[in-house]
Amino acid sequence: MNKDAVHTSRIVAPEGVDALRAAGHPANVACPNSEPPQDNAPRITEHAANKACLREDAGSTAHRPKKRQHRHIPLWVYKCMLVLAAAIWGLGTVVIKDAVDTFSPLWLVGLRFSIAGVVLAIACWKSVRKNLDRDTLGAGAFLGLFVAAQFVFNTAGLTDTTAAKSAFLTGTYCAFVPFLAWAISRIKPTIYNIVAMALCVVGVGFVSFADGFESFSFGFGEAITLLSALFVGLHIAFMAKLSVGRDPITLTVVQFIVAGILGSAIAFAIDGSLDTAALGNPELLGSILYLALFASCLSLTLQNIGLAHVPPAPAALLLATESVFGVLFSIVFLHEIVTAFMVIGFTLIGAGIVVSEALPLKKRRIPADEVAKEEMRVSREG
């Protein structure tokens, strides 16, 4: 028998399969699913073995589930989610302003967050049940105090100020956050933060003198609205510190439920029992459901998805457009009049937000995609 015949009739030993595959000789490797030859079994040539392998591989591939193709979602889609969340909150300011004219603002807060907490817990029950522990419960309850405070003061402030003023005064929290983070997490503010704070303070002054310097219009409503902005800043600063290592959805559910319980308790102590007859008004009931389902649950979901893909600084700037939407919706739906002094004040507050959130990125002089990657890495590492 010549050498070619010997080569053609050579049997591929089963124990040599892995070694030959690792060495990169697939043509000389027997099919891994084939049984080793018996002593009296007919000899199988390499060519026949390779054909059998191809047939078996084709059969297994046909029954193998196809990998799901993930569509690439561009960054601007996630940015639009943040803007949509801000728009929902901006309209929420108008809804609150309209609702507090006929309903207790404290009960409005209690009902809003009680419904939001229950709905979000049901929608995310698997995640909540998995991640709810004593540590998360304590952190969520602590954060819920700030949620209740900010919305109680903000909602009560709308009984004595306009929706436009409320929207922009609340937006000053963007300038408060760096200083509160310095006190809580020892993160020193930059020169941009200081300039932003100054612009916001001057802007608040112009908003307060809406009808001219001869008429001081900074009253009770504006004061407690600014106080609510302080609680917003405290909530953001503590949230950044306490959310590390904890599930954000579970943490939010606890916050909502705690805020709902506190809001209801304060409402009962100050305003008495709930006016159930007023809830029969379809417009009021629709306002409460909008605040609970859209301005709380939906906007939170959009915010969480957006923040997972957009770096914190531009994300905060996009979310700050809530104030702009609040003014626009108050003009459209409530027919509020915006004076020249208010426009100047709004512009200064908006400029303060831009200086605080956007200019630090310009200073770094590196490509935007590298800025995004670095900020996302720092954000995830806490």
Side-chain angles (χ1 to χ4, degrees):
M1 183 180 295
N2 57 27
K3 294 182 180 181
D4 293 337
V6 173
H7 176 74
T8 304
S9 62
R10 186 175 67 234
I11 301 174
V12 180
E15 58 271 14
V17 168
D18 294 335
L20 288 173
R21 285 191 184 277
H25 300 285
N28 295 329
V29 179
C31 179
N33 296 327
S34 61
E35 297 181 357
Q38 304 297 328
D39 292 338
N40 57 351
R43 299 293 182 180
I44 303 175
T45 64
E46 290 181 38
H47 179 69
N50 290 335
K51 290 179 67 176
C53 282
L54 290 174
R55 286 195 300 269
E56 292 187 14
D57 288 343
S60 61
T61 303
H63 294 86
R64 188 181 304 160
K66 296 182 179 179
K67 292 183 178 180
R68 181 177 296 178
Q69 299 294 329
H70 296 281
R71 297 180 59 186
H72 173 70
I73 300 177
L75 185 61
W76 66 266
V77 174
Y78 296 109
K79 291 183 177 181
C80 287
M81 290 182 181
L82 296 176
V83 175
L84 180 57
I88 293 173
W89 286 327
L91 181 58
T93 302
V94 177
V95 172
I96 294 174
K97 175 63 177 175
D98 186 58
V100 294
D101 290 338
T102 58
F103 193 68
S104 165
L106 298 177
W107 273 116
L108 187 64
V109 174
L111 290 176
R112 169 183 180 173
F113 286 104
S114 296
I115 296 173
V118 171
V119 170
L120 192 61
I122 294 174
C124 306
W125 175 243
K126 290 184 179 179
S127 176
V128 173
R129 183 176 59 180
K130 177 182 177 181
N131 296 286
L132 184 61
D133 52 25
R134 183 177 298 179
D135 180 67
T136 302
L137 188 62
F142 177 73
L143 292 169
L145 298 176
F146 296 101
V147 174
Q150 73 187 53
F151 280 96
V152 165
F153 286 117
N154 185 270
T155 305
L158 280 168
T159 62
D160 196 48
T161 188
T162 64
K165 281 187 179 181
S166 176
F168 267 97
L169 291 176
T170 304
T172 59
Y173 74 84
C174 288
F176 297 155
V177 168
F179 298 95
L180 296 173
W182 186 14
I184 295 171
S185 303
R186 298 296 185 266
I187 302 175
K188 189 176 181 180
T190 66
I191 185 63
Y192 299 103
N193 303 139
I194 297 174
V195 173
M197 185 66 175
L199 287 171
C200 284
V201 170
V202 176
V204 169
F206 273 94
V207 173
S208 302
F209 292 97
D211 299 325
F213 289 109
E214 67 278 1
S215 60
F216 181 72
S217 61
F218 191 88
F220 173 78
E222 289 79 13
I224 62 174
T225 301
L226 271 180
L227 186 59
S228 74
L230 175 62
F231 280 108
V232 173
L234 286 170
H235 177 258
I236 293 175
F238 276 113
M239 183 71 179
K241 183 176 182 179
L242 297 177
S243 62
V244 178
R246 299 181 177 93
D247 179 61
I249 297 297
T250 305
L251 207 58
T252 303
V253 168
V254 177
Q255 293 176 61
F256 279 0
I257 293 177
V258 169
I261 293 174
L262 286 177
S264 299
I266 295 173
F268 182 79
I270 296 178
D271 294 338
S273 58
L274 176 65
D275 185 6
T276 55
L279 295 177
N281 184 350
E283 292 185 3
L284 176 61
L285 186 59
S287 298
I288 295 175
L289 292 178
Y290 175 85
L291 295 173
L293 301 180
F294 291 92
S296 298
C297 293
L298 177 58
S299 58
L300 173 71
T301 302
L302 293 171
Q303 173 186 289
N304 287 342
I305 295 175
L307 290 176
H309 298 86
V310 181
L317 185 61
L318 293 172
L319 290 173
T321 58
E322 171 192 353
S323 300
V324 177
F325 285 110
V327 172
L328 293 177
F329 288 135
S330 66
I331 294 173
V332 173
F333 295 106
L334 301 181
H335 308 291
E336 293 186 358
I337 299 175
V338 180
T339 65
F341 270 45
M342 290 178 68
V343 172
I344 295 174
F346 295 161
T347 303
L348 289 172
I349 295 174
I353 294 171
V354 172
V355 169
S356 177
E357 303 294 344
L359 288 190
L361 297 180
K362 301 289 185 182
K363 183 69 175 178
R364 300 177 68 175
R365 297 180 182 275
I366 57 179
D369 57 343
E370 294 184 16
V371 175
K373 291 178 181 179
E374 177 63 17
E375 290 196 348
M376 290 303 294
R377 182 189 66 79
V378 174
S379 177
R380 286 167 181 162
E381 291 178 357

